[in-house]
Amino acid sequence: MHFLHVVGARPNFMKVAPLTHALAARPGVRQTLVHTGQHYDQNMSDVFFRELEIPEPDFNLAVGSGTHAEQTGQIMLRFEPVVVEQKPDWVLVYGDVNSTIAAALVCAKLQIPVAHVEAGLRSFDRRMPEEINRVLTDQLADLLFTPSADGDQNLLREGVPRERIHFVGNVMIDTLVRLLPKTAATLPPELPERYALVTLHRPSNVDDLSGLKSLLDALTAIGATLPIIFPVHPRTRQKIAELGFRHSSNLRLWEPQSYLQFLALQQKATIVITDSGGIQEETTFLGVPCLTLRDTTERPVTVTEGTNIMIGRDMNLLCREVEAVLRGERKNGGIPPLWDGRAAERIAQILEAKG
Ligand code: UD1
């Protein structure tokens, strides 16, 4: 059987890695890897391929940045001839980025079967570009692999046939489980005993400069009692530069970290403050308190079962929750079902049975 994987942005890479490994172990399987080039910086892409031991992409579409229409359209234009020529039995798409919907739409029109890994997640906020990508990709996919049971419920409610949906667990946690033993060697020597680890890149948090300024001011205030380590996404770096924000020494603005470096930083963090989707899941698995700077989450199990607390844009609440953790009052959580390091293996078995 011939499987063609499509990835493009940083959060895709930890999801495709365990699938390439699980499928490679099976006889009679051929794999083709397409990188759309949505993320192209060395530290947003190449370093992840190396650390996660993902094979070199067979095709790099080198689409780069642009508006949503430009980026999605370019991926479609450049992907179509590749998939027509390759004639895969299945195309696997991952997560909720523009590369995901662009590839799924091309395949649906060509009647090439599509499997969506990390299906069914919903924030119910259509102002998020990722929510549009999730809803549409799930309507187009022939097989839908969900990381949590709420995903199955969302899909059934949207009329996806039951037999297409498979609750397999979380492939990103597969990668975490595999690589956690390797993180210790990557901790930077100058790391403080206690610190908050921060990431911010959602358009809703960083594109509006006055909103971004109030977030940075709140982080600076927290930094007076708890040092802040903030690896800055390229999108956010541009906005901070536009703002002309001069940060204090309590706010350490770092380059984007590699997978292993960032995992090591999460594991040792006193608290994580983020607007990422995947980091809500990783902190839940690691049992590290997570404060999410969003009103909604498409990953509700991290709140109901894990260590995640939704903060929205309430900077007073953010400061109060940080103080609570520093006093030792932290939310304890458990690990959601099937976040066990074997999700990709379950997916590979289901795909094999389709052959
Ligand atoms: C994308 C995903 C988002 C995911 C995030 C992880 C969509 C709609 N969004 O958002 O779901 O959480 O990736 O990072 O697909 N840039 C660089 N170098 C790069 C990549 C981006 O400098 O390697 C800059 C460019 O100026 C670009 C901006 O970052 O315009 C945003 O990149 P883009 O891929 O459009 O979206 P992300 O914000 O990264």
Side-chain angles (χ1 to χ4, degrees):
M1 276 177 105
H2 182 189
F3 297 101
L4 186 148
H5 309 268
V6 183
V7 292
R10 186 169 60 177
N12 293 155
F13 306 141
M14 30 297 218
K15 295 167 195 165
V16 76
L19 253 303
T20 60
H21 302 150
L23 288 170
R26 294 177 139 74
V29 165
R30 178 177 154 215
Q31 301 188 69
T32 301
L33 182 58
V34 176
H35 188 333
T36 66
Q38 175 174 348
H39 284 175
Y40 43 86
D41 282 1
Q42 221 274 334
N43 58 12
M44 296 292 285
S45 178
D46 301 14
V47 66
F48 288 82
F49 276 73
R50 267 200 313 282
E51 285 189 351
L52 306 181
E53 295 162 291
I54 305 170
E56 281 285 304
D58 300 285
F59 298 89
N60 191 323
L61 308 181
V63 295
S65 304
T67 67
H68 282 273
E70 282 165 353
Q71 195 174 54
T72 311
Q74 281 299 329
I75 297 168
M76 291 181 70
L77 286 170
R78 297 180 194 197
F79 178 60
E80 186 177 54
V82 172
V83 77
V84 165
E85 184 221 358
Q86 289 293 314
K87 299 188 185 62
D89 296 302
W90 282 92
V91 170
L92 277 78
V93 298
Y94 296 84
D96 56 14
V97 302
N98 286 343
S99 301
T100 312
I101 176 62
L105 186 50
V106 168
C107 293
K109 296 282 178 80
L110 292 168
Q111 297 179 23
I112 296 170
V114 175
H116 184 202
V117 178
E118 197 188 82
L121 299 186
R122 296 291 179 267
S123 67
F124 303 102
D125 178 359
R126 295 232 177 158
R127 289 170 304 178
M128 286 181 80
E130 294 82 5
E131 182 75 354
I132 312 274
N133 294 343
R134 289 189 280 262
V135 169
L136 296 180
T137 302
D138 286 340
Q139 280 299 319
L140 298 172
D142 301 275
L143 260 181
L144 300 99
F145 296 116
T146 62
S148 46
D150 51 286
D152 296 41
Q153 295 309 316
N154 293 333
L155 294 171
L156 290 171
R157 204 178 322 106
E158 290 171 14
V160 176
R162 171 77 261 179
E163 60 275 14
R164 292 189 185 177
I165 306 169
H166 297 269
F167 171 32
V168 292
N170 192 325
V171 287
M172 210 183 55
I173 300 299
D174 291 7
T175 294
L176 187 154
V177 167
R178 179 170 70 93
L179 293 179
L180 206 49
K182 289 197 184 172
T183 56
T186 66
L187 275 173
E190 72 277 22
L191 202 62
E193 185 66 23
R194 301 217 291 179
Y195 60 91
L197 178 65
V198 173
T199 80
L200 279 177
H201 74 281
R202 289 254 104 75
S204 56
N205 277 331
V206 305
D207 283 4
D208 168 51
L209 293 186
S210 69
L212 177 61
K213 170 89 168 49
S214 67
L215 270 173
L216 294 171
D217 287 342
L219 292 173
T220 305
I222 292 167
T225 45
L226 183 66
I228 306 262
I229 294 177
F230 182 1
V232 186
H233 186 285
R235 161 187 219 109
T236 311
R237 190 168 286 282
Q238 284 168 21
K239 297 295 172 185
I240 292 176
E242 274 177 48
L243 199 57
F245 184 79
R246 299 182 78 79
H247 63 94
S248 79
S249 58
N250 298 327
L251 199 57
R252 306 180 190 190
L253 303 185
W254 289 8
E255 287 302 309
Q257 299 291 290
S258 78
Y259 180 78
L260 289 174
Q261 287 168 332
F262 192 78
L263 187 53
L265 287 170
Q266 281 192 83
Q267 201 185 6
K268 291 267 180 293
T270 308
I271 195 160
V272 172
I273 301 171
T274 190
D275 60 8
S276 151
I279 294 169
Q280 297 172 47
E281 297 181 337
E282 290 170 341
T283 46
T284 274
F285 186 89
L286 296 169
V288 172
C290 179
L291 303 178
T292 297
L293 298 174
R294 290 174 43 188
D295 296 321
T296 56
T297 179
E298 61 287 337
R299 291 159 161 96
V301 289
T302 62
V303 176
T304 54
E305 298 188 36
T307 56
N308 191 15
I309 298 176
M310 303 305 292
I311 298 295
R313 295 299 305 264
D314 185 341
M315 293 301 109
N316 291 328
L317 179 60
L318 175 67
C319 294
R320 283 204 306 278
E321 290 293 347
V322 171
E323 282 162 17
V325 171
L326 291 179
R327 281 197 306 272
E329 297 161 22
R330 39 172 296 174
K331 182 180 175 194
N332 290 315
I335 297 175
L338 302 191
W339 291 23
D340 58 358
R342 299 193 46 81
E345 184 56 35
R346 285 188 278 272
I347 294 176
Q349 279 173 18
I350 293 164
L351 288 170
E352 203 173 31
K354 297 273 167 195

